[in-house]
Amino acid sequence: MTFLSLFFIVASLLSFVVAQLILKRAMVSTAQSGFRNLRFVSRVTLGITLMTISFFLTLGLLQRFDLSYLYPFQGLSVIIISLMAAVMLKEKLTLQLMIGALLIGAGIVLVSLS
């Protein structure tokens, strides 16, 4: 794997993660201010834009790599989203969630070694 390939894999993954966090914040804000709010609209627009970038990056990566190789990297999104949700959104990390994240991480290591 080249540096450029790794860069695009990480860019796809991070754009997906950030989009999820932004969309979550947008939806939480609707409880206070409703859907007709400039902040809500801008967050949803940014979230959808980042999801679109992630989608097209993933399509480009699928041209070069096997799905069985790329998909475990997508599993990293579960780990990163869980950690970032705990930090940015003040969500609780449970023991069960942490064990699941460790198992996903171990699976990614096993797949990357093959």
Side-chain angles (χ1 to χ4, degrees):
M1 175 185 312
T2 66
F3 175 76
L4 191 58
S5 298
L6 181 62
F7 171 79
F8 284 122
I9 289 171
V10 170
S12 173
L13 180 64
L14 289 180
S15 61
F16 178 77
V17 167
V18 172
Q20 292 291 331
L21 294 169
I22 290 172
L23 289 171
K24 171 64 176 173
R25 280 214 172 159
M27 296 313 295
V28 167
S29 72
T30 62
Q32 298 167 349
S33 58
F35 292 101
R36 294 183 182 186
N37 179 339
L38 183 59
R39 178 175 273 173
F40 167 75
V41 172
S42 63
R43 284 180 179 170
V44 168
T45 301
L46 180 58
I48 290 172
T49 301
L50 288 170
M51 290 289 266
T52 303
I53 290 168
S54 175
F55 173 76
F56 284 111
L57 283 172
T58 301
L59 284 180
L61 289 166
L62 286 171
Q63 286 180 319
R64 299 186 178 264
F65 298 102
D66 292 337
L67 182 60
S68 61
Y69 181 76
L70 282 178
Y71 200 70
F73 286 102
Q74 295 298 323
L76 283 173
S77 67
V78 174
I79 298 169
I80 297 170
I81 287 173
S82 298
L83 293 174
M84 296 305 292
V87 171
M88 295 177 66
L89 304 175
K90 308 296 186 228
E91 294 183 3
K92 288 191 175 188
L93 281 179
T94 65
L95 180 61
Q96 187 175 7
L97 183 70
M98 291 189 296
I99 291 171
L102 287 173
L103 290 172
I104 290 170
I108 292 167
V109 168
L110 288 174
V111 169
S112 67
L113 292 175
S114 62

